[in-house]
Amino acid sequence: MNNRLSRLRAQMAEARLDALLITDRKNVFYVSGFSGTAGYLLITYTEQLLVTDSRYTEQAAKQAIGFTVEDVADFRLETFAGKGKIGFEDLSITFAEYKRFAEKLGELTPIGKMLLNLRAIKDVAEIDAVRKACEITDRAFSHILTVLRAGMTEREVAIELEFFMRREGASGMSFDTIVASGARGSLPHGAPTDKIIAPLELVTMDFGCVYNGYCSDMTRTVGVGDITIGQNEVYGAVLSAQELVLEHIAPGRTGRQMHALAADFLNESFPGRFGHGLGHGVGLDIHEEPSLSPRSEHILVPGNIVSVEPGVYLPGECGVRIEDLVLITPDGYENFTHSAKELRIV
């Protein structure tokens, strides 16, 4: 945490801030280690305060090492006024919360993506947590291959995945599990339904879990029984697009460049059927910086963890998406997702 505070204070200095108010729960955890659901941080160059209520003061003292913990019932926020230019998290605070703090602290300065950009570069502990979360999702995929059969519903597949990940040590799901079969596969975010999975269908499963606060994210598409030549062609194109990106992804490349590699390749055979960004950062949140999108000029650097998830979606027919989670390293990348990617038939 000390290194995170040092990096944060360097950003504060660059923005000419004298103090910083942190209210977003994920950012409170990132900076202090405190995982409670109520509390905020006040940071200057010489002090760091965690203000919470009596339910969490004991927990905060154990988790937020190096922070002065204040009980909100006794702490007078107005005493922090006059510290100079105070930054606040304008992207995540409500207007009502902003007014409450501004009444006590005076004028506040928005900091935009300062903390999100800091979080985009993961440290060793964060990398280890994401890697372990990915190990759980890999095991979940291996498990579902032994269970998934024609006659199951999409909802039953999702429940089986989620229960397995819980049993393997996940504290929760990193997002609502996606299971979309047959013609519903053309819905990139198709929530599982009571639709019965039938032979000759592709089934796309997009799932992830949380381990020690950090998320995993993977997608695999499998076939049920014999599938058509056309379905095989869609799958082969998506897999080739992902492999092309993985051949080139490295520090110094932009998110836009990585997206264009996959989009240009897929548009040759399936024009207009890859409609979303290639990927996104993953960490404490399932969608973080940097993004691999048509508009992203974010330059990839070592420590970024991003998804690589090209897809093709044919309305009324099927959909295919394949997703891995990769860490950008000084000389390329490390793939955290180890599940095989050849088309599996169950």
Side-chain angles (χ1 to χ4, degrees):
M1 296 299 171
N2 287 338
N3 184 53
R4 296 179 194 178
L5 272 173
S6 297
R7 293 173 59 213
L8 178 60
R9 284 172 169 143
Q11 289 295 304
M12 289 169 55
E14 188 173 321
R16 299 181 182 278
L17 295 174
D18 299 294
L20 184 60
L21 167 68
I22 300 176
T23 51
D24 183 274
R25 279 179 55 194
K26 296 292 177 63
N27 290 334
V28 168
F29 175 76
Y30 176 76
V31 174
S32 70
F34 173 62
S35 61
T37 60
Y40 59 88
L41 305 181
L42 291 164
I43 310 291
T44 70
Y45 295 101
T46 58
E47 58 185 335
Q48 50 269 356
L49 278 62
L50 193 165
V51 183
T52 186
D53 62 49
S54 59
R55 296 172 299 166
Y56 293 112
T57 49
E58 182 179 355
Q59 175 184 338
K62 293 177 180 178
Q63 291 182 326
I65 306 301
F67 278 74
T68 300
V69 177
E70 299 280 358
D71 190 323
V72 68
D74 304 319
F75 181 66
R76 295 183 60 209
L77 182 60
E78 57 269 26
T79 62
F80 209 80
K83 296 285 185 178
K85 189 177 179 182
I86 303 175
F88 80 103
E89 297 179 282
D90 53 301
L91 300 182
S92 60
I93 197 171
T94 67
F95 183 62
E97 288 174 319
Y98 169 81
K99 285 182 63 179
R100 179 169 65 88
F101 282 110
E103 285 173 0
K104 300 288 187 179
L105 296 174
E107 184 178 356
L108 300 172
T109 300
I111 63 168
K113 291 186 174 183
M114 178 189 292
L115 272 155
L116 296 179
N117 289 334
L118 281 177
R119 282 170 47 187
I121 301 175
K122 271 60 178 179
D123 59 32
V124 172
E126 293 178 291
I127 291 168
D128 184 60
V130 175
R131 185 184 284 112
K132 288 179 178 177
C134 288
E135 290 172 359
I136 294 174
T137 49
D138 272 330
R139 293 197 294 272
F141 180 65
S142 295
H143 170 72
I144 205 66
L145 290 176
T146 70
V147 175
L148 199 163
R149 294 291 183 271
M152 293 181 71
T153 67
E154 295 171 341
R155 200 183 310 276
E156 287 171 336
V157 173
I159 290 169
E160 189 67 34
L161 282 166
E162 292 172 2
F163 278 8
F164 182 89
M165 289 186 284
R166 286 278 196 176
R167 289 194 298 266
E168 291 293 299
S171 61
M173 303 304 106
S174 46
F175 56 94
D176 292 338
T177 300
I178 295 167
V179 179
S181 62
R184 294 192 69 254
S186 65
L187 302 171
H189 280 189
T193 68
D194 289 325
K195 176 193 173 298
I196 294 174
I197 296 169
L200 307 179
E201 289 187 333
L202 294 174
V203 182
T204 296
M205 298 169 286
D206 189 344
F207 54 101
C209 69
V210 178
Y211 180 85
N212 199 25
Y214 285 81
C215 299
S216 62
D217 191 2
M218 73 174 287
T219 306
R220 289 294 184 267
T221 301
V222 302
V224 180
D226 294 328
I227 63 172
T228 68
I229 293 174
Q231 290 169 333
N232 266 299
E233 289 175 348
V234 176
Y235 191 94
V238 173
L239 179 56
S240 294
Q242 199 210 38
E243 290 173 339
L244 177 63
V245 172
L246 293 177
E247 288 174 7
H248 291 85
I249 197 165
R253 306 292 171 83
T254 67
R256 180 181 60 79
Q257 289 171 331
M258 294 298 94
H259 174 86
L261 276 177
D264 291 348
F265 179 88
L266 291 173
N267 278 333
E268 292 180 7
S269 301
F270 301 99
R273 296 307 179 188
F274 173 38
H276 57 72
L278 174 66
H280 52 86
V282 174
L284 288 171
D285 286 312
I286 194 60
H287 288 94
E288 295 191 349
E289 297 293 329
S291 69
L292 308 183
S293 76
R295 297 173 298 279
S296 176
E297 294 298 336
H298 196 123
I299 298 173
L300 295 175
V301 298
N304 291 157
I305 296 177
V306 294
S307 67
V308 179
E309 49 182 306
V312 167
Y313 311 95
L314 304 179
E317 298 181 40
C318 67
V320 173
R321 183 165 65 256
I322 302 170
E323 176 186 18
D324 291 348
L325 208 56
V326 305
L327 166 70
I328 303 301
T329 62
D331 54 0
Y333 73 95
E334 176 188 344
N335 197 331
F336 285 171
T337 309
H338 300 295
S339 296
K341 286 180 280 192
E342 71 271 10
L343 179 57
R344 300 296 298 267
I345 304 297
V346 297

